[in-house]
Amino acid sequence: MAELIQVPSFSGYGGATLHLVIDYTEHERRQQAGLGKAIGHGFGGLDHLMAVPDGIPVPLTSLTKQQQAYYRKAPAGICTIHDGQLTRHVVRPCRVVLATVESPTACRGALNSASRFAPFCTRTVVIRRLPHRKHFNYLHEYDFYGIGVTYQRPDGGREPIVEPRPWVPMRHTPAAWYFAEQAYGTYLDTLHNRAIASVQPVTEPQEP
């Protein structure tokens, strides 16, 4: 079973915890190449990346002028160009399998927050109070939109109330890849912050 890594969501998709499965082969390759997120040109750059298969050389002249210009300027780790042949190396660095939103109750705001992740992954709202009768209609909406609801008990245990609908990717899109790259960037920031926290300051001995 793949390890799930939990990281905060990023700007524009705040207020959730993302559960990632890291492609450690791609992660190590990027670390060795000094490559972080592969989103230097936003959706446009990823659209160019998706124009060619990964790991299979293609004639550079078979690409558009815009694609050729992108690949010629791409940072190390993205691709290699040799004897007029382009080989793309970069692939999606992780899968976002779940987004969880913390909320006191199963309210409309939590529903809207979780809905933002609909194109990318499974969604669940974790609540700290059981729904009142007046909020039962919201539970029907959660179920309709495929968003799970889980009750966080005071003892720390969790009790599913509405099961989330499993997310099934229909196709690989630049937007989905961009989302994964942003999540991967948050993962890199988390690793960096942990490394800093693990370094203990050295205190010089005081003169007597």
Side-chain angles (χ1 to χ4, degrees), residues 30 54 110 117 144 162:
R30 292 193 186 195
D54 64 278
F117 300 92
F144 177 81
V162 177

Side-chain angles (χ1 to χ4, degrees), residues 3-81:
E3 179 187 9
L4 288 182
I5 304 296
Q6 297 185 25
V7 299
S9 53
F10 44 86
S11 178
Y13 289 89
T17 297
L18 303 181
H19 305 249
L20 318 180
V21 175
I22 303 296
D23 183 336
Y24 285 108
T25 300
E26 173 67 2
H27 172 67
E28 291 299 328
R29 190 192 67 79
R30 292 193 186 195
Q31 292 291 293
Q32 294 176 10
L35 178 66
K37 295 186 294 184
I39 54 174
H41 295 275
F43 289 169
L46 295 174
D47 191 49
H48 294 330
L49 291 176
M50 293 179 62
V52 299
D54 64 278
I56 301 177
V58 297
L60 189 62
T61 54
S62 67
L63 305 178
T64 67
K65 291 183 179 180
Q66 291 83 2
Q67 291 167 348
Q68 292 182 43
Y70 169 80
Y71 277 109
R72 291 185 187 278
K73 296 178 180 180
I78 295 288
C79 65
T80 54
I81 299 175

Side-chain angles (χ1 to χ4, degrees), residues 66-152:
Q66 291 83 2
Q67 291 167 348
Q68 292 182 43
Y70 169 80
Y71 277 109
R72 291 185 187 278
K73 296 178 180 180
I78 295 288
C79 65
T80 54
I81 299 175
H82 181 69
D83 288 340
Q85 298 286 312
L86 166 74
T87 303
R88 170 167 70 88
H89 303 297
V90 70
V91 296
R92 195 188 304 208
C94 67
R95 289 186 297 113
V96 183
V97 298
L98 175 67
T100 56
V101 174
E102 302 280 343
S103 175
T105 62
C107 59
R108 171 73 66 179
L111 177 70
N112 293 338
S113 295
S115 295
R116 292 179 296 172
F117 300 92
F120 310 115
C121 60
T122 302
R123 300 146 297 150
T124 291
V125 171
V126 180
I127 61 175
R128 297 187 295 276
R129 294 198 303 268
L130 288 172
H132 294 291
R133 187 177 299 276
K134 65 180 180 180
H135 289 152
F136 281 175
N137 60 320
Y138 287 156
L139 292 182
H140 291 300
E141 289 192 57
Y142 277 88
D143 186 52
F144 177 81
Y145 290 109
I147 300 172
V149 178
T150 296
Y151 171 51
Q152 177 80 56

